[in-house]
Structure formats: C-alpha cells, structure tokens
Amino acid sequence: FRVPIDVTYALAGGEPALMAYRRWRNISRDDLAAKSGIPKEDIEAIEEGNKDIEEEMLESLSTILKVPPDQLI
C-alpha cells in the first residue's frame, strides 16, 4: 500500500490519520458513520484525539476507507 501524497502532507502537518484518509476518500463523517455503524460522535472524537480507535472499529474503518488497519493508528 502506497500512502497518497495528499495524505502524507496532511499527516506531516499533524492531521489525524482517520481524518486524512476520510478526506482523501471524500467521505463525510456522516457517511462514514452510516457505513461503519460507528456513531458520528465517536468518529469525531477519534479525529479530534479525544478517543482511541477500538480494535473492533479498526477493521470496519480500514475496510470502508480501503487502507491497511495499521495506517489508521
């Protein structure tokens, strides 16, 4: 898996991985919540650094965003 340059720059700038990949895939928080079954509030908290991605969330998020799980943690 090659990290897209847009994501690389976002990560280097301090953007959380989940947010960087979500934006790269052009998926809103609402859409990601609907597709993953994870509450939007949890996605927001993860992106803001107030919550860790739980293991059961990781597989779902990585599948939807089409990235290896280790890229999101």
Side-chain angles (χ1 to χ4, degrees):
F1 179 78
R2 296 182 76 182
V3 178
I5 195 72
D6 294 350
V7 174
T8 300
Y9 287 139
L11 296 173
E15 189 168 303
L18 179 59
M19 182 183 291
Y21 282 107
R22 180 179 61 76
R23 288 185 191 207
W24 176 63
R25 292 288 188 198
N26 199 28
I27 299 174
S28 70
R29 284 180 179 164
D30 288 328
D31 288 342
L32 187 57
K35 290 178 182 183
S36 68
I38 299 168
K40 178 183 171 185
E41 295 78 15
D42 285 351
I43 292 170
E44 186 174 333
I46 292 166
E47 290 183 347
E48 292 176 354
N50 297 323
K51 181 177 178 73
D52 291 331
I53 296 177
E54 297 170 9
E55 194 167 325
E56 59 272 4
M57 295 176 174
L58 191 57
E59 187 171 329
S60 176
L61 293 170
S62 67
T63 299
I64 293 164
L65 296 173
K66 299 177 183 149
V67 299
D70 65 333
Q71 294 294 309
L72 297 176
I73 51 175

